[in-house]
Amino acid sequence: MGITTTSCVDVTPEQLYRKFASLDGQYYDRARCERYAVLIKEIKRLKQQRRAIILAHNYQRPEIFEVADFVGDSLELARQARNARNADVIVFCGVHFMAETAKVLNPERTVLLPDMRAGCSLADSISADDLAERKAELMKIFPDLKVVSYVNTTAEVKALSDACCTSANAVKVVEALDSQNILFVPDQNLAHYVQTQTKKRIISWTGSCYVHHQINAEEIEKVRRAMPDIKVLAHPECRADVLALADAVLSTSAMARYARESSASRFLIVTECGLSDRLLMEVPGKQFFKACKLCMYMKMITLEGTLESLRTMRHEIVLSDEVREGARRALERMLELAA
Ligand code: 13P
Ligand code: SF4
């Protein structure tokens, strides 16, 4: 999808209340909407003062979309960060690896992450030292080996990779590399999915996203039995048996596009809940069901934290020149191969 959002006009508590009506009414009650309207106004004022933009991932809380200049998937956010020329500051409402990617692609901007605890189980599943060791081992067997790292990794891991990829372009990047043997890290499910789409040899790591890995095939089958006409859209971080039941395997923004453009009226959105919440609010006349779990890391970003981040200019993403340059090479290679 990738949508540019913020308006300069202040949102009223009543407008927020109506906007969030399709979500959990008990959570988004009038008192909360009043509090959020005040925070949103102050964030927009400080954004102007600091010459800042806010980039937000599709899984963010609905209230964060109110202050975001752009909402999208990892690939779209990386492109937006790289092209952010008119801002001094990028506040990243997402997780740590996404903010790092923004810093790598646009080192002249100050990049802030409102909460440093916003990590990712995939990024945690591989260290640069372990990757270096495995790569050296495999190079002895496959001298043409190339390493493709999912963007859900640290900048240090990216720096050891030949190219990065996101869920939107993983197959394209693997296909475009001049090697038959690919060490694909760290998501075993995405690696397995890529293997079903290419004749190249994919050697996988054993990482997984704790959110997608816990979604099971029985949950999907149950919904399908109840609603045979439903379109099942799944994220490639899901297990293979879940993906086998999907009508389409897509990145978060591609799922949103599919749902908007399809003539179908009912969708099961098999990914983190933030995306289905967004579709519930933004696509009237269609029904969205969730087979999802919350990502606790994404939900660590709040309006309060974002305001504090703009007030205090915390928490700044800082990278050494060496790591930044290595990660930049792998990210730029991805953008070039998947253009
Ligand atoms: P997308 O790039 O599809 O938005 O996925 C990011 C992510 O972290 C999925 O869990
Ligand atoms: Fe990481 Fe999974 Fe959360 Fe995405 S949903 S940020 S892969 S833990």
Side-chain angles (χ1 to χ4, degrees):
M1 178 164 43
I3 284 189
T4 308
T5 54
T6 324
S7 124
C8 306
V9 184
D10 289 335
V11 66
T12 67
E14 190 53 33
Q15 282 168 331
L16 278 184
Y17 187 71
R18 270 189 267 122
K19 225 174 193 176
F20 297 154
S22 53
L23 307 176
D24 183 349
Q26 282 194 332
Y27 185 78
Y28 289 103
D29 60 13
R30 285 208 149 75
R32 184 176 295 276
C33 290
E34 260 171 49
R35 198 154 53 78
Y36 283 176
V38 175
L39 290 168
I40 289 165
K41 187 173 173 188
E42 183 58 6
I43 289 172
K44 286 186 181 174
R45 190 190 65 76
L46 264 180
K47 254 201 327 183
Q48 278 195 325
Q49 190 183 312
R50 299 274 193 210
R51 282 176 45 83
I53 58 162
I54 296 184
L55 301 182
H57 186 263
N58 287 320
Y59 293 161
Q60 288 291 291
R61 295 166 182 270
E63 58 272 24
I64 293 289
F65 300 145
E66 295 297 316
V67 293
D69 294 275
F70 185 86
V71 182
D73 67 12
S74 310
L75 181 60
E76 292 167 335
L77 291 167
R79 287 202 179 110
Q80 286 290 324
R82 190 171 65 154
N83 298 336
R85 309 245 176 277
N86 296 327
D88 295 335
V89 179
I90 298 173
V91 180
F92 212 104
C93 291
V95 291
H96 190 267
F97 75 82
M98 295 178 178
E100 262 192 358
T101 298
K103 182 68 188 176
V104 167
L105 291 172
N106 201 340
E108 267 130 59
R109 316 287 153 226
T110 299
V111 177
L112 304 176
L113 181 66
D115 192 322
M116 277 299 195
R117 295 169 306 162
C120 168
S121 65
L122 270 172
D124 287 347
S125 68
I126 183 165
S127 71
D129 286 349
D130 288 348
L131 175 58
E133 199 179 311
R134 182 79 176 127
K135 185 177 165 183
E137 252 170 41
L138 286 168
M139 293 281 282
K140 291 183 201 146
I141 311 166
F142 306 111
D144 72 330
L145 186 87
K146 290 273 177 343
V147 178
V148 174
S149 64
Y150 192 28
V151 280
N152 300 38
T153 45
T154 61
E156 284 82 1
V157 166
K158 290 184 177 77
L160 291 180
S161 308
D162 294 286
C164 293
C165 74
T166 73
S167 62
N169 60 23
V171 176
K172 215 167 172 184
V173 168
V174 164
E175 285 287 286
L177 280 171
D178 59 345
S179 170
Q180 286 307 305
N181 297 292
I182 308 289
L183 172 58
F184 191 100
V185 300
D187 187 6
Q188 56 183 295
N189 293 331
L190 181 59
H192 184 275
Y193 172 69
V194 172
Q195 184 66 89
T196 65
Q197 308 293 309
T198 179
K199 290 196 166 57
K200 293 189 177 186
R201 184 199 310 270
I202 304 292
I203 304 158
S204 146
W205 202 259
T206 52
S208 61
C209 158
Y210 90 100
V211 179
H212 292 85
H213 204 61
Q214 52 176 312
I215 300 173
N216 64 58
E218 289 77 56
E219 295 173 58
I220 316 297
E221 277 162 347
K222 209 166 130 193
V223 179
R224 258 237 205 277
R225 272 198 300 276
M227 290 177 268
D229 65 321
I230 200 161
K231 286 277 179 216
V232 178
L233 310 184
H235 195 276
E237 287 172 18
C238 294
R239 293 165 187 265
D241 57 349
V242 169
L243 297 185
L245 297 171
D247 292 291
V249 177
L250 301 164
S251 79
T252 54
S253 285
M255 278 190 216
R257 257 191 311 272
Y258 186 110
R260 283 172 198 276
E261 290 166 12
S262 164
S263 57
S265 57
R266 301 207 275 198
F267 302 88
L268 177 59
I269 304 296
V270 189
T271 190
E272 208 271 349
C273 291
L275 184 66
S276 20
D277 284 349
R278 183 165 178 209
L279 291 170
L280 275 170
M281 288 192 306
E282 292 180 7
V283 188
K286 294 194 178 185
Q287 285 182 292
F288 295 97
F289 297 86
K290 312 176 188 185
C292 70
K293 313 281 184 269
L294 285 177
C295 173
M296 64 174 177
Y297 301 112
M298 286 281 180
K299 269 43 185 185
M300 279 170 184
I301 307 297
T302 59
L303 283 179
E304 288 85 348
T306 305
L307 178 57
E308 199 51 21
S309 181
L310 275 163
R311 268 191 189 137
T312 59
M313 295 296 281
R314 279 192 307 192
H315 302 272
E316 187 174 354
I317 303 291
V318 181
L319 294 165
S320 73
D321 289 350
E322 192 190 343
V323 167
R324 192 168 42 73
E325 192 40 44
R328 192 194 60 76
R329 187 192 34 73
L331 282 162
E332 292 288 355
R333 187 102 173 92
M334 164 184 83
L335 295 172
E336 173 199 321
L337 291 175

